[in-house]
């Protein structure tokens, strides 16, 4: 719906001071806001549990080989004459450096009795399937269930690409729906469908069905994540936004930390899928209890849904211990101020990401942060691959990645509020790029310990780059298009995650090019980050006009107080006439005049005045006549 120009102007004027006019009158970041924020952390745990479980579903066992086929052996062969290891050596080729062959068997001439290495033997592909051993975590997964090895290996990275494609689609479309339908509706819709698809994945009977269902579940999980992330942020004041966002990251790290133990206890992938789906089913209780995940009042006000925002503000103020009633004193009445700004017949105004084509600053910020998140997620593959070369143990690289993720959360919490979003984002990009370039140029000259240190440092700051990009994007995007813009940024991050699977799809044939491209992008991002505004201790922009008014502060602050420059354009000093106070006075006066019983009475004199106005005028006329005569 295209908004009217006058309504849009009034709307933007009111929203510029949302956190100073509306938010404090509802209790600020009070007890009820804190409770809702806590309940918004649990969806993050459930979503990440399903996201990281994909690692165990597609994990290839450390050792596997073809099952021996007796039909490929000569008729004179007697199994009792050989030990189990001798039987394997007789039927399976030996590959230097990797043990028994994964994909081939020996085929002997039909009538030979010579089983020595000198006999001419033909090598053929596996005919009876595979035997797997030393599986990390699960005893059966997507790979072992449908034998996705050797010639079918390409289906493993394809599964991950399909899963990431679902997340990309979910972020784009469901993020846009957050701006049209609201945060709560999209959250409940995505949560219900992701639970349904999660249960369906447990019943998959083929690899194709598994791929399609995981794609659909990934799309719905993306909707759960983006809706809860935005709703959580819009309930906080500037001092608490960073801490609240990083604690949600701690919940994600906790889910990733618990997952190996859960996988060991589950043994089979359908059981793990059921356990990962269980938190989503429990979260469906949010549907019945609306108070634990209410609609964002900031979004309701930004989209001019007056009746809904009044109910929402009354609920927040009541639960925070602040009473919002229609009183006659204008200084204590928030709802009368809303009435003075908006008329009762105001139509809601919804926006989409297509509005970005008319913007300059918002579009630029969205593009830069999408680029940095793409780099932060895509370059992690380069660092984790170096960890694999240092140690082939799956749990070594897995837990090291979890630990660096936790350290990245701590680093952001400690530094960002002090040095600013843009400065730490710039530092993370610089260290990520330097670590990548050093590994790219000096790996063959460095010792294993230095390679490990550079890989860990690069992994730490690349994760910090990714986390801070998401948080930064949610702060600088306007409320009316925050869902769609954040969805685009997160979709770019999923493209970076899917890039590693594209390398595996080609058997890592393009790894060097992959590393060079992302290292170059990391260096290029340093220049782009300098074009971003600073959102530290600034209020969230609500309208497109506020989003366009964001300006880029200097990188090196010349005065200590320069950090306190407003994110939006500075206002001229107010005159003695304050239109806001006048609108409140008019609204309160209108209400007083419409009351039947006034709290006061105009006193009428009981006796007439000694001289009326007419007598006084006659005396003055007589005096003037005497003076003239």
């Amino acid at each position: 719906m295209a908004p009217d120009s006058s309504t849009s102007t009034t709307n933007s004027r009111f929203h510029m001071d949302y956190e100073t006019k509306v938010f404090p009158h509802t209790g600020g970041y009070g007890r009820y806001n804190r409770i809702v924020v806590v309940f918004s952390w649990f969806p993050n745990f459930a979503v990440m549990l399903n996201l990281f479980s994909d690692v165990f579903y597609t994990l290839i066992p450390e050792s596997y080989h073809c099952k021996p086929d007796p039909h490929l052996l000569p008729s004179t062969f007697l199994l009792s004459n050989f030990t189990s290891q001798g039987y394997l050596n007789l039927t399976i080729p030996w590959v230097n450096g990797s043990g028994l062959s994964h994909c081939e068997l020996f085929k002997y001439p039909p009538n030979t009795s010579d089983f020595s290495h000198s006999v001419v033997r033909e090598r053929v592909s596996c005919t009876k399937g595979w035997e797997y051993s030393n599986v990390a975590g699960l005893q059966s997964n997507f790979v072992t269930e449908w034998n996705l090895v050797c010639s079918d290996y390409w289906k493993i990275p394809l599964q991950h690409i399909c899963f990431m494609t679902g997340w990309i689609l979910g972020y784009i479309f469901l993020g846009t729906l957050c701006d049209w339908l609201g945060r709560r509706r999209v959250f409940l819709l995505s949560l219900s469908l992701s639970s349904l698809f999660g249960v369906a994945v447990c019943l998959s009977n083929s690899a194709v069905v598994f791929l399609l269902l995981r794609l659909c579940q990934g799309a719905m999980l993306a909707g759960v994540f983006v809706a809860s992330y935005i709703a959580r942020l819009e309930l906080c004041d500037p001092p608490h936004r960073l801490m609240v966002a990083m604690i949600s990251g701690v919940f994600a790290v906790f889910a990733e930390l618990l997952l190996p133990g859960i996988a060991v206890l589950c043994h089979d992938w359908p059981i793990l899928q059921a356990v990962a789906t269980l938190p989503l089913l429990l979260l469906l209780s949010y549907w019945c209890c609306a108070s634990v995940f209410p609609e964002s009042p900031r979004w309701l006000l930004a989209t001019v849904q007056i009746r809904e925002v009044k109910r929402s503000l009354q609920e927040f103020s009541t639960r925070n211990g602040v009473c919002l009633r229609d009183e006659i004193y204008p200084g204590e009445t928030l709802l009368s101020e809303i009435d003075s700004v908006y008329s009762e017949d105001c139509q809601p105004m919804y926006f989409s990401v297509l509005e970005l084509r008319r913007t300059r600053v918002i579009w630029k910020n969205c593009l830069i942060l999408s680029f940095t998140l793409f780099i932060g997620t895509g370059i992690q593959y380069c660092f984790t691959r170096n960890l694999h070369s240092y140690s082939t143990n799956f749990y070594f690289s897995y837990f090291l990645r979890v630990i660096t993720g936790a350290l990245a959360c701590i680093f952001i919490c400690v530094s960002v509020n002090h040095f600013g979003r843009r400065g730490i984002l710039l530092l993370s990009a610089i260290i990520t790029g330097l670590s990548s370039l050093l590994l790219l140029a000096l790996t063959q000259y460095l010792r294993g310990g230095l390679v490990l240190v550079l890989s860990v440092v690069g992994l730490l700051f690349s994760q910090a780059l990714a986390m801070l990009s998401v948080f930064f994007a949610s702060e600088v995007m306007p409320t009316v298009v925050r869902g769609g813009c954040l969805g685009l940024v997160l979709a770019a991050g999923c493209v970076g995650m899917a890039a590693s699977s594209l390398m595996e799809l080609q058997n890592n044939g393009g790894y060097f090019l992959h590393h060079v491209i992302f290292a170059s992008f990391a260096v290029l991002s340093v220049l782009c980050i300098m074009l971003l505004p600073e959102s530290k201790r600034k209020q969230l922009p609500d309208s497109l006009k506020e989003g366009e008014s964001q300006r880029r502060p200097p990188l090196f602050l010349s005065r200590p107080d320069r950090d306190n420059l407003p994110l939006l354009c500075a206002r001229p000093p107010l005159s003695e006439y304050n239109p806001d106070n006048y609108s409140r006075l008019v609204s309160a006066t209108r209400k007083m005049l419409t009351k039947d019983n006034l709290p006061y009475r105009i006193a009428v004199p009981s006796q007439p005045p000694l001289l009326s106005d007419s007598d006084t005028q006659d005396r003055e006329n007589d005096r003037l006549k005497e003076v003239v005569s």
Side-chain angles (χ1 to χ4, degrees):
M1 178 181 298
D4 180 73
S5 59
S6 60
T7 306
S8 178
T9 304
T10 305
N11 185 26
S12 62
R13 177 177 65 82
F14 184 79
H15 274 117
M16 287 180 66
D17 293 328
Y18 173 84
E19 291 181 7
T20 58
K21 290 185 177 180
V22 180
F23 196 65
H25 292 290
T26 61
Y29 188 59
R31 178 175 176 271
Y32 180 54
N33 293 62
R34 290 185 174 92
I35 292 175
V36 174
V37 165
V38 169
F39 278 99
S40 71
W41 288 333
F42 298 117
N44 203 40
F45 174 84
V47 169
M48 294 302 134
L49 198 65
N50 284 270
L51 172 62
F52 294 123
S53 63
D54 192 67
V55 177
F56 292 90
Y57 293 155
T58 59
L59 182 62
I60 300 176
E62 295 180 4
S63 63
Y64 60 95
H65 57 79
C66 300
K67 291 182 179 179
D69 187 359
H71 296 90
L72 300 179
L73 298 174
S75 57
T76 57
F77 172 77
L78 294 176
L79 181 60
S80 58
N81 295 336
F82 298 89
T83 62
S84 57
Q85 186 61 40
Y87 179 53
L88 292 177
N89 293 333
L90 185 67
T91 56
I92 302 175
W94 184 270
V95 179
N96 293 332
S98 61
L100 296 175
S101 174
H102 296 314
C103 307
E104 292 180 332
L105 288 172
F106 280 134
K107 181 179 181 181
Y108 288 83
N111 297 321
T112 185
S113 59
D114 184 9
F115 298 105
S116 64
H117 296 290
S118 59
V119 67
V120 179
R121 296 171 293 184
E122 182 183 356
R123 294 193 177 194
V124 296
S125 301
C126 299
T127 57
K128 293 290 186 177
W130 285 261
E131 292 181 355
Y132 304 97
S133 60
N134 298 330
V135 181
L138 296 173
Q139 297 299 318
S140 67
N141 59 8
F142 176 72
V143 178
T144 61
E145 181 79 13
W146 292 290
N147 293 323
L148 302 183
V149 291
C150 298
S151 60
D152 289 332
Y153 167 79
W154 59 273
K155 295 180 181 179
I156 300 175
L158 179 64
Q159 189 273 338
H160 187 258
I161 292 173
C162 290
F163 192 45
M164 288 295 103
T165 301
W167 282 79
I168 293 171
L169 297 176
Y171 279 137
I172 294 175
F173 292 108
L174 294 177
T176 302
L177 282 182
C178 284
D179 298 326
W180 289 348
L181 303 179
R183 285 60 165 132
R184 174 176 169 80
R185 292 177 182 175
V186 173
F187 173 78
L188 295 177
L189 174 64
S190 304
L191 186 63
S192 303
L193 294 179
S194 62
S195 303
L196 178 63
F197 286 123
V199 174
V201 170
C202 301
L203 307 176
S204 302
N205 55 4
S206 67
V208 176
V209 175
F210 183 87
L211 290 176
L212 294 177
L213 290 177
R214 287 290 284 174
L215 186 149
C216 297
Q217 189 191 22
M220 297 301 107
L221 290 172
V224 175
F225 178 82
V226 70
S228 61
Y229 196 99
I230 295 173
R232 180 189 312 121
L233 198 76
E234 292 177 348
L235 293 176
C236 301
D237 54 354
H240 294 91
R241 284 201 302 256
L242 178 67
M243 189 60 63
V244 165
M246 290 303 106
I247 292 178
S248 67
V250 172
F251 271 72
V253 172
F254 184 63
E256 195 174 3
L257 192 62
L258 289 180
L259 198 54
I262 297 175
V264 171
L265 295 176
C266 292
H267 293 289
D268 297 326
W269 70 267
I271 301 177
L272 178 60
Q273 176 64 26
V275 172
T277 307
L278 181 61
L280 296 174
L281 296 173
L282 295 177
L283 289 174
L284 290 176
S285 59
Y286 287 17
W287 194 298
C288 304
C289 189
S291 59
V292 299
F293 198 92
E295 186 54 78
S296 169
R298 180 187 288 270
W299 174 78
L300 291 173
L301 192 57
T303 53
V304 202
Q305 303 182 57
I306 304 304
R307 294 181 181 178
E308 290 79 3
V309 76
K310 285 184 178 180
R311 288 196 296 266
S312 178
L313 294 177
Q314 286 177 333
E315 179 183 3
F316 272 83
S317 61
T318 302
R319 293 181 181 272
N320 281 328
V322 180
C323 185
L324 265 185
R325 299 188 303 267
D326 283 335
E327 312 219 2
I328 64 173
Y329 301 103
E332 300 176 4
T333 305
L334 174 62
L335 300 182
S336 63
E337 181 180 357
I338 297 177
D339 290 334
S340 65
V341 175
Y342 299 100
S343 61
E344 291 294 335
D345 57 349
C346 281
Q347 296 297 322
M349 298 184 299
Y350 303 105
F351 298 85
S352 68
V353 292
L354 298 179
E355 299 292 334
L356 294 184
R357 68 181 186 272
R358 300 192 185 97
T359 65
R360 182 177 60 87
V361 176
I362 302 174
W363 178 85
K364 176 199 67 179
N365 295 339
C366 183
L367 182 63
I368 293 174
L369 292 170
S370 299
F371 185 53
T372 56
L373 182 59
F374 169 73
I375 295 168
T377 55
I379 204 171
Q380 292 179 24
Y381 172 72
C382 306
F383 299 123
T384 54
R385 196 169 185 270
N386 285 320
L387 295 178
H388 292 157
S389 62
Y390 184 83
S391 175
T392 57
N393 191 336
F394 166 76
Y395 291 111
F396 172 78
S397 59
Y398 182 87
F399 284 110
L400 198 56
R401 184 162 54 86
V402 176
I403 293 172
T404 54
L407 293 177
C409 287
I410 297 173
F411 168 72
I412 292 175
C413 290
V414 171
S415 60
V416 168
N417 267 342
H418 183 69
F419 297 102
R421 278 69 163 147
R422 191 178 64 152
I424 299 302
L425 190 70
L426 183 64
L427 177 65
S428 301
I430 291 174
I431 298 180
T432 300
L434 286 178
S435 302
S436 181
L437 289 174
L438 289 175
L439 286 174
L440 192 63
L442 303 176
T443 299
Q444 57 182 345
Y445 304 106
L446 298 176
R447 295 184 179 181
L450 292 176
V451 173
L452 178 63
V453 170
L454 287 175
S455 300
V456 171
V457 171
L459 190 60
L460 168 64
F461 282 94
S462 63
Q463 293 191 57
L465 181 67
M467 293 180 189
L468 192 52
S469 297
V470 177
F471 175 69
F472 203 173
S474 61
E475 281 195 321
V476 299
M477 298 303 160
T479 301
V480 291
V481 291
R482 183 169 290 127
C485 292
L486 185 60
L488 291 177
V489 174
L490 290 168
C494 289
V495 173
M497 297 174 65
S500 61
S501 298
L502 291 176
M503 296 300 101
E504 295 178 358
L505 195 61
Q506 300 176 355
N507 293 322
N508 293 321
Y511 166 73
F512 182 78
L513 181 61
H514 176 93
H515 200 165
V516 170
I517 291 175
F518 275 92
S520 304
F521 283 168
V523 175
L524 179 61
S525 67
V526 173
L527 302 176
C528 300
I529 292 173
M530 295 182 183
L531 302 176
L532 292 173
E534 179 55 62
S535 60
K536 183 179 70 170
R537 292 193 294 271
K538 308 300 190 300
Q539 59 186 8
L540 297 177
D542 289 322
S543 63
L544 293 176
K545 181 180 179 181
E546 294 179 10
E548 282 292 285
S549 301
Q550 298 174 110
R551 55 193 176 90
R552 174 174 57 88
L555 181 62
F556 302 103
L557 304 176
S558 57
R559 297 195 306 269
D561 59 341
R562 289 294 293 273
D563 183 62
N564 296 324
L565 290 175
L567 180 62
L568 304 178
C569 293
R571 293 180 172 183
L574 295 176
S575 61
E576 295 181 358
Y577 169 72
N578 192 335
D580 294 331
N581 293 337
Y582 180 74
S583 63
R584 294 182 183 181
L585 181 61
V586 170
S587 177
T589 305
R590 186 190 309 123
K591 291 186 177 182
M592 286 193 299
L593 295 178
T594 55
K595 292 183 179 293
D596 295 333
N597 50 346
L598 296 176
Y600 56 86
R601 177 176 296 180
I602 301 174
V604 179
S606 58
Q607 296 180 356
L610 296 177
L611 294 176
S612 63
D613 293 340
S614 59
D615 294 337
T616 303
Q617 186 66 31
D618 292 339
R619 286 176 178 271
E620 292 292 335
N621 294 335
D622 294 340
R623 189 174 299 174
L624 289 174
K625 289 179 180 179
E626 292 177 357
V627 173
V628 171
S629 61

